Amino acid sequence: METPPVPYRPDPAGGCPHAANARLLARGAVTPVVLPGGVEGMAVLGHEALREFLQHPGVAKDARHFTQLREGRIPTGWPLLTFATVRGMTTADGADHRRLRALVSRAFTPRRVEELRPRIAELTDTLLDDLDRAAADGVADLRRHFALPLPLGVIGELLGVDAEFRDRLHHLTNQVVATGIRPAEAVAANRELVGVLAAVAAARAEHPGDDLTSALIAARDEDGDRLGQEELIGTLLLMIIAGHETTLNLITNAVRALCGHRDQLELVRKGDASWADVVEETLRWDAPVSYFPFRYPVRDLTVDGTVIPAGTPVLAGYSAAGRDPAAHGPDADRFDVTRPARPDAARHLSLGHGAHYCLGAPLARLEATVALQRLFDRFPALDLAVAEDRLARQASFVGNSVRALPVRPRPRPGG
């Protein structure tokens, strides 16, 4: 009789996922997991298995399908609870999902996003000045001074979030994605986050502008059936998290990758690869999201030979799928900006797949390509100020990056 695999326990404190992913992939494309608090779930890790799972008609996002939650077995302060219960696109199915997505999709079409290019370039150059000033002693935190304020500023302007709210929103959303947070802290952070977002919405309701929050409020007020207050707050929450945390990690990870692979940076400089190639290879090789919660089979489902019982919370293992040798070859763990696209054009799944494919993908790609090109044009000798293995990792198994990225924008004197 075959012994069932030992469940994988993702470390709530985070850490680099790739070594564990390789061990799990060697065992199979799907694995049982034990989440914080002893909650049993599953993770889909293999590229093909994940692609099948993400678009399977028997898989839902609505937490009413989450058996343990429905039966009252999930505590209030569970650190992953917001991922399951927030009201918005990422937890809606079918007609509800299409309704919510339609309300914001026009702001993220490739044409509308391309219109943002001059503003993104302007903000990027301002932040590069800030990065230069911050490196008065030769070293500055690129994540804090550049990779964070760029996407946070862009999504803040799109949503009409006043600057006074932005730093607090980043701090609170960071706590939402932290998987090791204590129950009381999780409850307090969520309560404060809802309050800040309600204040943002109230400010826009009183002083409407040419921004997405004002448009969402108008849709709510004109026809309450289109968007309820809870869905409004949930939509703002999801867009702020997805609109800056993912791109923040993407830019940070791309800079780390290029600094650690100077030969790849040189290929871009010689014109043998593009900045867009850098972005796509970073998304594959070091996905900004490692394990994303949750999806639930509505009936027992067999994926790559493994049964996932109905109602099981399932993590989408994007960082594992990106380095799956079965999909990307024996050199899947090598960073290669000239890596050819797969025949099915699915170079990676790091921005999702199927009906829930990331709505902000064009914006994330544009921000990252503009940021990287202008960063290395301005500081061609930019390098890490500490060894890669000394960089502290994010305290989450959802996000995949480092807490800070100390860099030397300019060469040392005499260096």
Side-chain angles (χ1 to χ4, degrees), residues 324-415:
D324 182 1
H328 304 291
D331 67 342
D333 62 352
R334 182 167 65 90
F335 182 73
D336 178 7
V337 297
T338 65
R339 185 180 298 273
R342 289 165 48 88
D344 58 13
R347 185 166 176 173
H348 59 79
L349 299 168
S350 298
L351 296 172
H353 186 65
H356 285 270
Y357 181 77
C358 178
L359 190 63
L363 180 59
R365 286 182 163 111
L366 177 60
E367 289 175 341
T369 52
V370 170
L372 293 170
Q373 179 174 3
R374 295 176 100 85
L375 172 68
F376 284 98
D377 282 351
R378 174 79 173 267
F379 305 115
L382 181 140
D383 208 349
L384 301 186
V386 300
E388 167 73 26
D389 60 6
R390 290 180 54 205
L391 295 172
R393 304 288 306 193
Q394 274 186 311
S396 172
F397 60 74
V398 176
N400 173 41
S401 193
V402 294
R403 297 186 196 182
L405 190 65
V407 299
R408 291 188 179 90
R410 301 184 184 279
R412 298 185 208 183

Coordinates of all heavy atoms in Angstrom, one line a residue, residues 324-415:
D324 N 9.6 24.6 -12.9 CA 9.2 23.2 -13.1 C 10.1 22.7 -14.3 O 9.8 23.1 -15.5 CB 7.7 23.1 -13.4 CG 7.3 21.7 -13.6 OD1 8.1 20.8 -13.5 OD2 6.1 21.5 -13.9
P325 N 11.0 21.7 -14.1 CA 11.8 21.2 -15.2 C 10.9 20.5 -16.3 O 11.3 20.5 -17.4 CB 12.7 20.2 -14.5 CG 12.7 20.6 -13.1 CD 11.4 21.1 -12.8
A326 N 9.8 19.9 -15.9 CA 9.0 19.3 -16.8 C 8.4 20.2 -17.9 O 8.1 19.8 -19.0 CB 7.8 18.6 -16.1
A327 N 8.3 21.5 -17.5 CA 7.8 22.5 -18.5 C 8.9 23.3 -19.1 O 8.8 23.8 -20.2 CB 6.8 23.4 -17.8
H328 N 9.9 23.6 -18.3 CA 10.9 24.6 -18.7 C 12.3 24.0 -19.0 O 13.3 24.7 -19.3 CB 11.0 25.7 -17.7 CG 9.8 26.4 -17.4 ND1 9.1 27.2 -18.3 CD2 8.9 26.4 -16.3 CE1 8.0 27.7 -17.8 NE2 7.9 27.2 -16.6
G329 N 12.4 22.7 -18.9 CA 13.6 22.0 -19.2 C 14.6 21.8 -18.1 O 14.3 22.3 -17.0
P330 N 15.7 21.1 -18.3 CA 16.6 20.8 -17.2 C 17.3 22.0 -16.6 O 17.8 21.9 -15.5 CB 17.6 19.8 -17.8 CG 17.5 20.0 -19.3 CD 16.1 20.4 -19.5
D331 N 17.3 23.1 -17.4 CA 17.9 24.3 -16.9 C 16.9 25.3 -16.3 O 17.1 26.5 -16.4 CB 18.8 25.0 -18.0 CG 18.0 25.5 -19.1 OD1 16.8 25.1 -19.2 OD2 18.5 26.3 -19.9
A332 N 15.8 24.8 -15.9 CA 14.7 25.7 -15.4 C 15.1 26.6 -14.3 O 14.5 27.7 -14.1 CB 13.5 24.9 -15.0
D333 N 16.1 26.3 -13.5 CA 16.6 27.1 -12.4 C 17.6 28.1 -12.8 O 18.2 28.8 -12.0 CB 17.0 26.3 -11.2 CG 18.3 25.4 -11.6 OD1 18.6 25.4 -12.8 OD2 18.8 24.8 -10.6
R334 N 17.9 28.2 -14.1 CA 18.9 29.2 -14.6 C 18.2 30.5 -15.1 O 17.2 30.4 -15.9 CB 19.7 28.6 -15.8 CG 20.8 29.5 -16.3 CD 21.7 28.7 -17.2 NE 21.1 28.2 -18.4 CZ 21.0 28.8 -19.6 NH1 21.5 30.1 -19.7 NH2 20.4 28.3 -20.6
F335 N 18.6 31.6 -14.7 CA 18.1 32.9 -15.2 C 18.7 33.2 -16.6 O 19.9 33.4 -16.8 CB 18.5 34.0 -14.2 CG 17.9 35.4 -14.6 CD1 16.6 35.6 -14.4 CD2 18.7 36.4 -15.0 CE1 16.0 36.9 -14.7 CE2 18.2 37.6 -15.3 CZ 16.9 37.9 -15.2
D336 N 17.8 33.2 -17.6 CA 18.2 33.4 -19.0 C 17.2 34.3 -19.7 O 16.1 33.8 -20.1 CB 18.3 32.0 -19.6 CG 18.7 32.0 -21.1 OD1 19.1 33.1 -21.6 OD2 18.6 31.0 -21.8
V337 N 17.6 35.5 -20.0 CA 16.7 36.5 -20.6 C 16.5 36.2 -22.1 O 15.6 36.7 -22.7 CB 17.2 37.9 -20.4 CG1 17.3 38.3 -19.0 CG2 18.6 38.1 -21.1
T338 N 17.3 35.3 -22.6 CA 17.1 34.9 -24.1 C 16.3 33.5 -24.2 O 16.2 33.0 -25.3 CB 18.4 34.7 -24.8 OG1 19.2 33.6 -24.2 CG2 19.3 36.0 -24.7
R339 N 15.8 33.1 -23.1 CA 15.1 31.8 -23.1 C 13.9 31.9 -24.0 O 13.1 32.9 -23.9 CB 14.5 31.5 -21.7 CG 13.8 30.1 -21.5 CD 13.4 30.0 -20.1 NE 14.5 29.9 -19.1 CZ 15.2 28.9 -18.8 NH1 14.8 27.7 -19.4 NH2 16.2 28.9 -18.0
P340 N 13.8 31.0 -25.0 CA 12.7 31.1 -26.0 C 11.3 30.9 -25.3 O 11.2 30.2 -24.3 CB 13.0 30.0 -27.0 CG 13.8 29.0 -26.3 CD 14.6 29.8 -25.2
A341 N 10.3 31.5 -25.9 CA 9.0 31.3 -25.4 C 8.5 29.9 -25.7 O 8.9 29.3 -26.6 CB 8.0 32.3 -26.1
R342 N 7.7 29.4 -24.8 CA 7.2 28.0 -25.0 C 6.3 28.0 -26.2 O 5.7 29.0 -26.6 CB 6.3 27.6 -23.8 CG 7.2 27.3 -22.5 CD 6.3 27.3 -21.3 NE 5.2 26.4 -21.5 CZ 5.1 25.1 -21.3 NH1 6.2 24.5 -20.8 NH2 4.0 24.4 -21.4
P343 N 6.1 26.8 -26.9 CA 5.3 26.8 -28.1 C 3.8 27.2 -27.8 O 3.2 27.7 -28.7 CB 5.3 25.3 -28.4 CG 6.6 24.8 -27.9 CD 6.8 25.6 -26.6
D344 N 3.3 27.0 -26.6 CA 2.0 27.3 -26.2 C 1.9 28.8 -25.8 O 0.8 29.2 -25.3 CB 1.3 26.4 -25.2 CG 2.2 26.4 -23.9 OD1 3.0 27.2 -23.7 OD2 1.9 25.5 -23.1
A345 N 3.0 29.5 -25.8 CA 3.1 30.9 -25.5 C 2.9 31.2 -24.0 O 2.9 32.3 -23.5 CB 2.1 31.8 -26.3
A346 N 2.8 30.1 -23.2 CA 2.7 30.3 -21.7 C 4.0 30.2 -21.1 O 4.4 29.2 -20.6 CB 1.7 29.2 -21.1
R347 N 4.8 31.3 -21.2 CA 6.2 31.2 -20.7 C 6.2 31.0 -19.2 O 7.1 30.4 -18.6 CB 6.9 32.5 -21.1 CG 8.3 32.6 -20.7 CD 9.0 33.8 -21.4 NE 10.4 34.0 -21.0 CZ 11.2 34.9 -21.5 NH1 10.8 35.6 -22.5 NH2 12.4 35.0 -21.1
H348 N 5.1 31.5 -18.6 CA 5.0 31.4 -17.1 C 3.5 31.6 -16.8 O 2.7 32.0 -17.6 CB 5.9 32.3 -16.3 CG 5.6 33.8 -16.7 ND1 4.5 34.4 -16.1 CD2 6.2 34.7 -17.5 CE1 4.5 35.7 -16.6 NE2 5.5 35.8 -17.4
L349 N 3.2 31.3 -15.5 CA 1.8 31.5 -15.0 C 1.8 32.5 -13.9 O 0.8 32.6 -13.2 CB 1.3 30.1 -14.5 CG 1.2 29.0 -15.6 CD1 0.9 27.7 -14.9 CD2 0.1 29.3 -16.6
S350 N 2.8 33.3 -13.7 CA 3.0 34.1 -12.5 C 2.0 35.2 -12.4 O 1.9 35.8 -11.3 CB 4.4 34.6 -12.5 OG 5.4 33.6 -12.4
L351 N 1.3 35.5 -13.5 CA 0.2 36.5 -13.4 C -1.1 35.9 -13.5 O -2.1 36.5 -13.8 CB 0.4 37.6 -14.5 CG 1.7 38.4 -14.4 CD1 1.9 39.3 -15.6 CD2 1.6 39.3 -13.1
G352 N -1.2 34.6 -13.3 CA -2.4 33.8 -13.4 C -2.7 33.2 -14.7 O -1.9 33.3 -15.6
H353 N -3.9 32.7 -14.8 CA -4.4 32.1 -16.1 C -5.9 31.9 -16.0 O -6.4 31.7 -14.9 CB -3.7 30.7 -16.2 CG -3.9 30.0 -17.5 ND1 -3.5 30.5 -18.7 CD2 -4.6 28.9 -17.8 CE1 -3.9 29.7 -19.7 NE2 -4.6 28.7 -19.1
G354 N -6.5 32.0 -17.1 CA -8.0 31.7 -17.1 C -8.7 33.0 -16.8 O -8.2 34.1 -16.9
A355 N -9.9 32.8 -16.3 CA -10.9 34.0 -16.0 C -10.3 35.0 -15.0 O -10.6 36.1 -15.1 CB -12.2 33.4 -15.5
H356 N -9.4 34.5 -14.1 CA -8.9 35.4 -13.1 C -7.5 35.8 -13.4 O -6.7 36.3 -12.5 CB -8.9 34.6 -11.7 CG -10.2 34.6 -11.1 ND1 -10.8 35.5 -10.3 CD2 -11.2 33.6 -11.2 CE1 -12.0 35.2 -9.9 NE2 -12.3 34.0 -10.4
Y357 N -7.1 35.8 -14.7 CA -5.8 36.3 -15.1 C -5.7 37.8 -14.6 O -6.6 38.6 -14.6 CB -5.7 36.3 -16.6 CG -4.3 36.8 -17.1 CD1 -3.2 36.0 -17.0 CD2 -4.2 38.1 -17.7 CE1 -2.0 36.5 -17.5 CE2 -3.0 38.5 -18.2 CZ -1.9 37.7 -18.0 OH -0.7 38.2 -18.5
C358 N -4.5 38.1 -14.1 CA -4.3 39.4 -13.5 C -4.7 40.6 -14.4 O -4.2 40.8 -15.5 CB -2.8 39.6 -13.2 SG -2.4 41.2 -12.4
L359 N -5.7 41.4 -13.9 CA -6.2 42.5 -14.7 C -5.2 43.6 -14.9 O -5.2 44.3 -15.9 CB -7.4 43.1 -13.9 CG -8.3 44.1 -14.6 CD1 -9.0 43.5 -15.8 CD2 -9.4 44.6 -13.6
G360 N -4.3 43.7 -13.9 CA -3.3 44.7 -14.0 C -2.0 44.3 -14.6 O -1.0 45.0 -14.5
A361 N -2.0 43.2 -15.3 CA -0.7 42.7 -15.9 C -0.1 43.7 -16.9 O 1.1 43.9 -16.8 CB -1.0 41.4 -16.7
P362 N -0.9 44.4 -17.8 CA -0.2 45.3 -18.7 C 0.5 46.5 -17.9 O 1.5 46.9 -18.3 CB -1.4 45.9 -19.5 CG -2.4 44.8 -19.5 CD -2.3 44.2 -18.1
L363 N -0.2 46.9 -16.8 CA 0.4 48.0 -16.0 C 1.7 47.5 -15.3 O 2.7 48.2 -15.3 CB -0.6 48.5 -15.0 CG -0.2 49.6 -14.1 CD1 0.3 50.8 -14.9 CD2 -1.3 50.0 -13.1
A364 N 1.6 46.3 -14.7 CA 2.8 45.8 -14.0 C 4.0 45.7 -15.0 O 5.1 46.0 -14.6 CB 2.5 44.5 -13.4
R365 N 3.7 45.2 -16.2 CA 4.8 45.0 -17.2 C 5.4 46.4 -17.6 O 6.6 46.5 -17.7 CB 4.3 44.3 -18.4 CG 4.1 42.8 -18.1 CD 3.6 42.1 -19.4 NE 3.8 40.6 -19.3 CZ 2.8 39.7 -19.2 NH1 1.5 40.2 -19.2 NH2 3.0 38.4 -19.1
L366 N 4.5 47.3 -17.8 CA 5.0 48.7 -18.2 C 5.8 49.3 -17.1 O 6.9 49.8 -17.4 CB 3.8 49.6 -18.6 CG 4.1 51.0 -19.0 CD1 5.0 51.0 -20.2 CD2 2.8 51.8 -19.2
E367 N 5.3 49.3 -15.9 CA 6.0 49.9 -14.8 C 7.4 49.3 -14.6 O 8.4 50.0 -14.4 CB 5.3 49.7 -13.5 CG 4.0 50.6 -13.4 CD 3.2 50.4 -12.2 OE1 3.4 49.3 -11.5 OE2 2.4 51.2 -11.8
A368 N 7.5 47.9 -14.7 CA 8.7 47.2 -14.5 C 9.7 47.5 -15.6 O 10.9 47.7 -15.4 CB 8.5 45.7 -14.4
T369 N 9.3 47.5 -16.9 CA 10.2 47.7 -18.0 C 10.7 49.2 -18.0 O 11.9 49.4 -18.2 CB 9.5 47.5 -19.4 OG1 8.3 48.2 -19.5 CG2 9.3 46.0 -19.5
V370 N 9.8 50.1 -17.7 CA 10.3 51.5 -17.6 C 11.3 51.7 -16.5 O 12.3 52.3 -16.6 CB 9.1 52.5 -17.5 CG1 9.6 53.9 -17.1 CG2 8.2 52.5 -18.8
A371 N 10.9 51.1 -15.3 CA 11.8 51.3 -14.1 C 13.2 50.7 -14.4 O 14.2 51.3 -14.0 CB 11.1 50.6 -12.9
L372 N 13.2 49.5 -14.9 CA 14.5 48.8 -15.1 C 15.4 49.5 -16.1 O 16.6 49.7 -15.9 CB 14.3 47.4 -15.5 CG 13.7 46.5 -14.4 CD1 13.3 45.1 -15.0 CD2 14.6 46.3 -13.2
Q373 N 14.8 49.9 -17.2 CA 15.6 50.6 -18.3 C 16.2 51.9 -17.7 O 17.3 52.1 -17.9 CB 14.7 50.8 -19.5 CG 15.5 51.6 -20.6 CD 14.7 51.7 -21.9 OE1 13.5 51.3 -21.9 NE2 15.3 52.2 -22.9
R374 N 15.3 52.7 -17.1 CA 15.8 54.0 -16.6 C 16.8 53.9 -15.5 O 17.7 54.7 -15.3 CB 14.6 54.9 -16.3 CG 13.8 55.2 -17.6 CD 12.5 56.0 -17.3 NE 12.7 57.4 -17.6 CZ 12.5 58.0 -18.8 NH1 12.2 57.2 -19.8 NH2 12.7 59.3 -18.9
L375 N 16.5 52.9 -14.6 CA 17.4 52.6 -13.5 C 18.8 52.3 -14.0 O 19.8 52.9 -13.5 CB 16.9 51.5 -12.6 CG 17.8 51.0 -11.5 CD1 18.0 52.0 -10.4 CD2 17.3 49.6 -10.9
F376 N 19.0 51.4 -14.9 CA 20.3 50.9 -15.3 C 20.9 51.9 -16.4 O 22.1 51.9 -16.5 CB 20.3 49.5 -15.9 CG 20.2 48.5 -14.8 CD1 19.0 47.9 -14.4 CD2 21.4 48.1 -14.1 CE1 18.9 47.0 -13.4 CE2 21.3 47.2 -13.0 CZ 20.1 46.6 -12.7
D377 N 20.1 52.7 -17.0 CA 20.6 53.8 -17.8 C 21.2 54.9 -16.9 O 22.3 55.4 -17.3 CB 19.5 54.4 -18.7 CG 19.2 53.6 -19.9 OD1 19.9 52.6 -20.2 OD2 18.2 53.9 -20.6
R378 N 20.6 55.2 -15.8 CA 21.0 56.2 -14.9 C 22.2 55.7 -14.1 O 23.2 56.5 -13.9 CB 19.9 56.6 -14.0 CG 20.3 57.6 -12.9 CD 20.3 59.0 -13.3 NE 20.5 59.9 -12.2 CZ 19.5 60.5 -11.5 NH1 18.3 60.3 -11.9 NH2 19.8 61.3 -10.5
F379 N 22.2 54.4 -13.7 CA 23.2 53.9 -12.8 C 23.7 52.6 -13.4 O 23.4 51.5 -12.9 CB 22.7 53.6 -11.4 CG 22.1 54.8 -10.7 CD1 20.8 54.9 -10.4 CD2 22.9 55.9 -10.4 CE1 20.2 56.0 -9.8 CE2 22.4 57.1 -9.8 CZ 21.0 57.1 -9.5
P380 N 24.5 52.6 -14.5 CA 24.9 51.4 -15.2 C 25.8 50.5 -14.3 O 25.8 49.3 -14.6 CB 25.7 51.9 -16.4 CG 26.1 53.3 -16.1 CD 25.0 53.8 -15.2
A381 N 26.5 51.0 -13.3 CA 27.3 50.2 -12.5 C 26.6 49.8 -11.2 O 27.2 49.2 -10.3 CB 28.6 50.9 -12.1
L382 N 25.3 50.0 -11.1 CA 24.6 49.7 -9.9 C 24.8 48.2 -9.5 O 24.7 47.3 -10.3 CB 23.1 49.9 -10.1 CG 22.1 49.6 -8.9 CD1 21.1 50.7 -8.8 CD2 21.5 48.3 -9.0
D383 N 25.0 48.0 -8.2 CA 25.2 46.6 -7.8 C 24.7 46.5 -6.3 O 24.5 47.5 -5.6 CB 26.7 46.2 -7.8 CG 26.9 44.7 -8.0 OD1 25.9 44.0 -7.9 OD2 28.0 44.3 -8.3
L384 N 24.6 45.2 -5.9 CA 24.1 45.0 -4.5 C 25.2 45.4 -3.5 O 26.4 45.2 -3.8 CB 23.8 43.5 -4.3 CG 22.7 42.9 -5.2 CD1 22.4 41.4 -4.7 CD2 21.4 43.7 -5.1
A385 N 24.8 45.9 -2.4 CA 25.8 46.3 -1.4 C 26.1 45.2 -0.4 O 27.0 45.4 0.4 CB 25.2 47.6 -0.6
V386 N 25.3 44.2 -0.4 CA 25.5 43.0 0.5 C 25.3 41.8 -0.4 O 24.6 41.8 -1.4 CB 24.5 43.0 1.7 CG1 24.7 44.2 2.6 CG2 23.1 42.8 1.3
A387 N 25.8 40.7 0.1 CA 25.7 39.4 -0.6 C 24.2 39.0 -0.7 O 23.5 39.2 0.3 CB 26.6 38.3 0.0
E388 N 23.9 38.3 -1.8 CA 22.5 37.9 -1.9 C 22.0 37.0 -0.8 O 20.9 37.2 -0.3 CB 22.4 37.1 -3.2 CG 21.1 36.3 -3.4 CD 19.9 37.1 -3.7 OE1 20.0 38.2 -4.3 OE2 18.8 36.7 -3.4
D389 N 22.9 36.1 -0.3 CA 22.5 35.2 0.8 C 22.3 35.9 2.2 O 21.9 35.3 3.1 CB 23.4 34.0 0.9 CG 24.8 34.4 1.2 OD1 25.1 35.6 1.4 OD2 25.7 33.5 1.1
R390 N 22.7 37.2 2.2 CA 22.5 37.9 3.5 C 21.3 38.8 3.5 O 21.0 39.5 4.4 CB 23.7 38.8 3.7 CG 25.0 38.0 4.1 CD 26.2 38.9 4.3 NE 25.9 39.9 5.3 CZ 26.5 41.1 5.4 NH1 27.4 41.4 4.5 NH2 26.1 42.0 6.3
L391 N 20.5 38.8 2.4 CA 19.3 39.6 2.3 C 18.2 39.0 3.1 O 17.9 37.8 2.8 CB 18.9 39.8 0.8 CG 19.9 40.6 0.0 CD1 19.4 40.5 -1.5 CD2 20.0 42.0 0.4
A392 N 17.6 39.7 4.0 CA 16.4 39.1 4.8 C 15.2 39.0 3.9 O 14.9 39.9 3.1 CB 16.1 40.1 5.9
R393 N 14.5 37.9 4.0 CA 13.4 37.6 3.2 C 12.1 38.1 3.8 O 12.0 38.4 5.0 CB 13.2 36.1 3.0 CG 14.4 35.3 2.4 CD 14.7 35.6 1.0 NE 13.5 35.3 0.2 CZ 13.5 35.3 -1.2 NH1 14.7 35.5 -1.8 NH2 12.4 35.0 -1.9
Q394 N 11.1 38.3 2.9 CA 9.8 38.8 3.3 C 9.2 37.7 4.3 O 9.4 36.5 4.2 CB 8.8 38.8 2.2 CG 8.8 40.2 1.4 CD 7.7 40.2 0.4 OE1 7.6 39.3 -0.4 NE2 6.9 41.2 0.4
A395 N 8.5 38.2 5.3 CA 7.9 37.4 6.3 C 6.5 36.8 5.8 O 5.5 37.1 6.4 CB 7.7 38.1 7.6
S396 N 6.6 36.1 4.7 CA 5.3 35.6 4.1 C 5.7 34.5 3.1 O 6.7 34.6 2.5 CB 4.6 36.7 3.4 OG 3.5 36.2 2.6
F397 N 4.8 33.5 3.1 CA 5.0 32.5 2.0 C 4.1 32.8 0.8 O 4.0 32.1 -0.2 CB 4.8 31.0 2.5 CG 3.5 30.7 3.1 CD1 2.3 30.6 2.3 CD2 3.3 30.5 4.4 CE1 1.1 30.3 2.8 CE2 2.1 30.2 5.0 CZ 1.0 30.1 4.2
V398 N 3.3 33.9 0.9 CA 2.5 34.4 -0.2 C 3.4 35.3 -1.1 O 3.7 35.0 -2.3 CB 1.3 35.2 0.3 CG1 0.5 35.8 -0.9 CG2 0.4 34.3 1.1
G399 N 3.9 36.4 -0.6 CA 4.8 37.2 -1.4 C 6.2 36.6 -1.4 O 6.6 35.8 -0.5
N400 N 7.0 36.8 -2.5 CA 8.3 36.2 -2.7 C 9.3 37.3 -3.1 O 9.4 37.7 -4.2 CB 8.2 35.2 -3.8 CG 9.6 34.7 -4.1 OD1 10.4 34.4 -3.2 ND2 9.9 34.5 -5.4
S401 N 10.0 37.8 -2.0 CA 11.0 38.8 -2.3 C 11.8 39.0 -1.0 O 11.8 38.2 -0.1 CB 10.4 40.1 -2.8 OG 11.5 41.0 -3.3
V402 N 12.6 40.1 -1.0 CA 13.4 40.4 0.2 C 12.8 41.7 0.9 O 12.1 42.5 0.3 CB 14.8 40.7 -0.1 CG1 15.5 39.4 -0.6 CG2 15.0 41.8 -1.2
R403 N 13.1 41.9 2.2 CA 12.5 43.0 2.9 C 13.2 44.3 2.5 O 12.6 45.4 2.6 CB 12.7 42.8 4.4 CG 12.0 41.6 5.0 CD 12.1 41.5 6.5 NE 11.8 40.2 7.0 CZ 11.8 39.9 8.3 NH1 12.1 40.8 9.2 NH2 11.5 38.7 8.7
A404 N 14.5 44.3 2.2 CA 15.2 45.5 1.8 C 16.2 45.1 0.7 O 16.7 43.9 0.7 CB 15.9 46.1 3.0
L405 N 16.6 46.0 -0.1 CA 17.6 45.7 -1.1 C 18.7 46.8 -1.1 O 18.6 47.8 -1.9 CB 16.9 45.6 -2.5 CG 17.8 45.1 -3.6 CD1 18.2 43.6 -3.4 CD2 17.2 45.2 -5.0
P406 N 19.7 46.7 -0.3 CA 20.7 47.7 -0.2 C 21.6 47.6 -1.5 O 22.1 46.6 -1.9 CB 21.6 47.3 1.0 CG 20.7 46.4 1.8 CD 19.8 45.7 0.8
V407 N 21.7 48.8 -2.2 CA 22.5 48.8 -3.4 C 23.5 50.0 -3.4 O 23.3 50.9 -2.6 CB 21.6 49.0 -4.7 CG1 20.6 47.8 -4.8 CG2 20.8 50.3 -4.6
R408 N 24.5 49.9 -4.2 CA 25.4 51.0 -4.5 C 25.0 51.5 -5.9 O 25.4 50.8 -6.9 CB 26.8 50.6 -4.4 CG 27.3 50.2 -3.0 CD 28.8 50.0 -3.0 NE 29.3 49.6 -1.7 CZ 29.4 48.4 -1.2 NH1 29.0 47.4 -2.0 NH2 29.8 48.2 0.0
P409 N 24.3 52.6 -6.0 CA 24.0 53.1 -7.3 C 25.2 53.5 -8.2 O 25.2 53.3 -9.4 CB 23.1 54.4 -7.0 CG 22.7 54.2 -5.6 CD 23.8 53.4 -4.9
R410 N 26.3 53.9 -7.5 CA 27.5 54.3 -8.2 C 28.7 53.5 -7.7 O 28.7 53.1 -6.6 CB 27.7 55.8 -8.0 CG 26.6 56.7 -8.5 CD 26.9 58.2 -8.4 NE 25.8 59.0 -8.8 CZ 25.4 59.3 -10.0 NH1 26.1 58.8 -11.0 NH2 24.4 60.0 -10.3
P411 N 29.7 53.3 -8.6 CA 30.9 52.6 -8.2 C 31.5 53.3 -7.0 O 31.5 54.5 -6.8 CB 31.8 52.6 -9.4 CG 31.0 53.2 -10.5 CD 29.8 53.9 -9.9
R412 N 32.2 52.5 -6.1 CA 33.0 53.1 -5.0 C 34.1 53.9 -5.6 O 34.7 53.6 -6.7 CB 33.6 52.0 -4.2 CG 32.5 51.1 -3.5 CD 33.2 50.1 -2.6 NE 32.4 48.9 -2.4 CZ 32.8 47.9 -1.6 NH1 33.9 48.0 -0.9 NH2 32.0 46.8 -1.6
P413 N 34.5 55.0 -4.9 CA 35.7 55.7 -5.4 C 36.9 54.8 -5.6 O 37.2 54.1 -4.7 CB 35.9 56.8 -4.3 CG 34.6 56.9 -3.6 CD 33.9 55.5 -3.7
G414 N 37.5 54.9 -6.8 CA 38.6 54.1 -7.1 C 38.3 52.7 -7.5 O 39.2 51.9 -7.8
G415 N 36.9 52.4 -7.5 CA 36.5 51.0 -7.8 C 36.3 50.8 -9.3 O 36.5 51.7 -10.1

